[in-house]
Amino acid sequence: MTLQQGPSTQDDALPPQRRAFRSGTLLIIGFGIFLLVGWVFYRQTLPPTWLYDFSEAVALHTSPDPSPPEPEDIRQVAPPVSVDDPYICVGNVIDLAWDHIFAVTSGKNLQTHPVLSQSIWPDLPLAHYADLMARDERYQLLVLADANTIVDAQLYFTFWGDLSPISRPEGFTRSEAVFTSASLNGLYIVSPALDAPVGTCS
């Protein structure tokens, strides 16, 4: 008795090495797409360079806590740090075209901000950021503007630092944006440098 074979497929007609190649090619392409999507998603979670530079400047120019909490572990013990230059010159730190910087603290309604609510938001709408800030009390917002157009806006967590002292409706111009930072109970407190000598950031 002879068994009849079903119709052969195109893959069946290929040599075994060719069939294995086609399977391997699909696997490699799929893996490459997976890596590309993962990289794009990862890039979106990274803070932009200007926000990183601002945060680094805050950390570098922070005066030490006069009464730091007792370390819970020997690895937390650090020698006292002396700050030679306490002034954060934001215009020199953030290498973008902007003429005003705004800090909006947690709990504030971005929709009613006297300046930002009237500004042009070319990328994401103001409502997007307002919704984010309303959802989480840890969120603060740093906004860069140039000629009434928003250059960029980024969330700044309360556990990174307290921006309340620099949260004023009119924001700060490049020449006015000279800040200081102090460490208090493990938190950076960013404040206007009211005593900065003339020409500090020139």
Side-chain angles (χ1 to χ4, degrees):
M1 182 176 177
T2 305
L3 295 176
Q4 291 185 348
Q5 295 182 347
S8 61
T9 64
Q10 186 178 2
D11 283 349
D12 292 337
L14 293 173
Q17 298 86 349
R18 183 70 183 275
R19 289 200 301 269
F21 173 77
R22 289 187 64 177
S23 309
T25 301
L26 292 176
L27 180 63
I28 292 172
I29 292 174
F31 186 65
I33 293 173
F34 172 78
L35 288 178
L36 180 62
V37 171
W39 172 246
V40 170
F41 178 77
Y42 175 70
R43 286 290 300 271
Q44 291 176 344
T45 63
L46 292 175
T49 302
W50 74 263
L51 184 62
Y52 176 85
D53 291 342
F54 175 81
S55 301
E56 184 179 47
V58 168
L60 289 175
H61 295 272
T62 292
S63 58
D65 194 334
S67 55
E70 291 294 326
E72 299 176 359
D73 188 283
I74 192 171
R75 290 171 295 181
Q76 297 176 333
V77 177
V81 178
S82 60
V83 181
D84 295 328
D85 177 13
Y87 302 112
I88 303 165
C89 299
V90 184
N92 298 338
V93 170
I94 300 179
D95 189 21
L96 289 175
W98 60 276
D99 58 27
H100 279 79
I101 184 169
F102 300 86
V104 183
T105 54
S106 176
K108 294 289 180 66
N109 185 355
L110 192 60
Q111 301 274 21
T112 61
H113 191 282
V115 177
L116 298 179
S117 63
Q118 306 301 316
S119 300
I120 300 169
W121 295 69
D123 295 327
L124 292 172
L126 177 142
H128 168 79
Y129 296 99
D131 180 60
L132 285 176
M133 293 187 68
R135 274 192 266 154
D136 197 323
E137 62 182 11
R138 298 172 302 169
Y139 289 161
Q140 302 170 103
L141 194 68
L142 271 176
V143 183
L144 301 176
D146 188 34
N148 202 41
T149 299
I150 304 305
V151 176
D152 198 6
Q154 294 293 329
L155 295 172
Y156 195 90
F157 290 98
T158 53
F159 54 78
W160 290 349
D162 182 7
L163 303 180
S164 300
I166 62 169
S167 176
R168 66 184 195 185
E170 67 273 25
F172 294 83
T173 64
R174 288 187 82 102
S175 60
E176 295 171 335
V178 183
F179 303 146
T180 59
S181 176
S183 179
L184 183 63
N185 297 322
L187 184 68
Y188 296 135
I189 312 295
V190 183
S191 304
L194 303 177
D195 61 344
V198 177
T200 294
C201 297
S202 58

